[in-house]
Amino acid sequence: MNNPLLSTERTEVHIQNRSLLEPVMDYYRINSAHLSPWEPERDQSYFSREAFQERLELSERNFRGGQSVQLAAIDRATGQLAGIANFTGIIRGPFQACFLGYSLGESFQGKGYMSEILDKAIQYMFKEQKLHRIMANYMPRNKRSGSLLERLGFEKEGLARDYLQIDGKWEDHILTSKIRSE
Ligand SMILES: CC(C)(COP(=O)(O)OP(=O)(O)OC[C@H]1O[C@@H](n2cnc3c(N)ncnc32)[C@H](O)[C@@H]1OP(=O)(O)O)[C@@H](O)C(=O)NCCC(=O)NCCS
């Protein structure tokens, strides 16, 4: 495994890359029932070894190209992949913004892992990547996601109707952003 990009109290946070193929595949296999209500519907080809490998290679290329920062947090105590945080769609110019998406493995939920990971990752996106705005959106019924964003200081900006197709259905989302404080 390459050197981590960031360290938190309980995790080492890496850019998603080829060396993480096994833990990433394990993560989606173990957590498929836990994650599927909150993610786009995916056919079996998405979960093939080749497809995972391609996405991990794309993550490395997009990081080098400044298009995304896709993170995988490895729990130091167990060596398991605890969670994923994807800062994608980085737009420069007068916007200096990106989107944030995230998930935790079921066994890591309810223990403060995502707050811990995102706290460091957001600092990195503001200080090192010099972004101004991070946008994160969630379905009104995803209470855990809403509480997490509130805890991290994201502000609600509106409700977008039929915003994303999640688990096969167009779903309204609450739009939130966090802006860098100077
Ligand atoms: C959204 C998601 C990442 C939130 O995970 P989470 O564990 O609730 O978030 P945190 O890591 O911030 O942990 C907070 C919880 O840990 C508890 N906790 C325990 N120890 C803690 C600590 N040291 N620090 C902070 N919180 C701690 C908090 O009380 C809180 O639990 P509660 O909500 O039961 O009160 C997770 O539910 C998930 O992966 N869901 C499926 C995918 C998903 O919905 N993605 C987002 C789509 S928008």
Side-chain angles (χ1 to χ4, degrees):
M1 221 177 278
N2 305 345
N3 287 338
L5 182 75
L6 306 169
S7 289
T8 74
E9 199 185 323
R10 291 171 289 185
T11 74
E12 302 290 354
V13 182
H14 297 262
I15 294 293
Q16 290 169 36
N17 68 80
R18 274 163 295 184
S19 73
L20 293 169
L21 181 62
E22 298 304 331
V24 168
M25 285 186 68
D26 282 349
Y27 178 83
Y28 284 100
R29 185 176 46 77
I30 296 166
N31 292 298
S32 78
H34 161 63
L35 296 178
S36 63
W38 313 109
E39 300 210 327
E41 200 170 36
R42 286 158 175 155
D43 61 33
Q44 270 319 104
S45 63
Y46 181 94
F47 298 98
S48 72
R49 194 176 186 82
E50 294 68 34
F52 274 110
Q53 202 155 347
E54 275 175 27
R55 285 193 296 275
L56 291 171
E57 286 169 11
L58 187 62
S59 157
E60 291 179 82
R61 279 203 302 281
N62 283 347
F63 176 65
R64 284 197 301 271
Q67 286 128 312
S68 71
V69 176
Q70 294 186 243
L71 302 173
I74 305 289
D75 177 44
R76 225 176 274 121
T78 61
Q80 270 187 296
L81 201 165
I84 298 281
N86 290 322
F87 296 86
T88 54
I90 295 177
I91 300 174
R92 295 294 179 179
F95 199 28
Q96 302 292 332
C98 74
F99 290 101
L100 166 63
Y102 43 76
S103 68
L104 275 180
E106 193 169 14
S107 63
F108 292 94
Q109 210 176 224
K111 298 174 182 169
Y113 269 87
M114 192 46 75
S115 297
E116 176 181 319
I117 296 160
L118 287 182
D119 192 40
K120 275 279 168 72
I122 289 167
Q123 279 183 47
Y124 167 83
M125 293 306 288
F126 284 151
K127 289 202 182 120
E128 307 300 327
Q129 294 284 340
K130 307 223 179 309
L131 286 185
H132 175 70
R133 172 186 296 268
I134 298 172
M135 300 172 286
N137 309 318
Y138 65 97
M139 289 187 278
R141 66 174 176 278
N142 195 342
K143 302 291 179 214
R144 280 193 172 275
S145 191
S147 308
L148 167 70
L149 291 171
E150 198 176 338
R151 217 170 11 254
L152 291 165
F154 281 73
E155 289 174 66
K156 286 186 191 172
E157 295 181 323
L159 176 76
R161 198 165 66 78
D162 275 8
Y163 182 74
L164 284 179
Q165 206 171 30
I166 299 292
D167 201 18
K169 191 169 165 285
W170 287 105
E171 296 279 2
D172 297 351
H173 276 68
I174 294 171
L175 309 178
T176 79
S177 281
K178 186 172 170 76
I179 297 171
R180 182 171 72 196
S181 49
E182 299 305 335

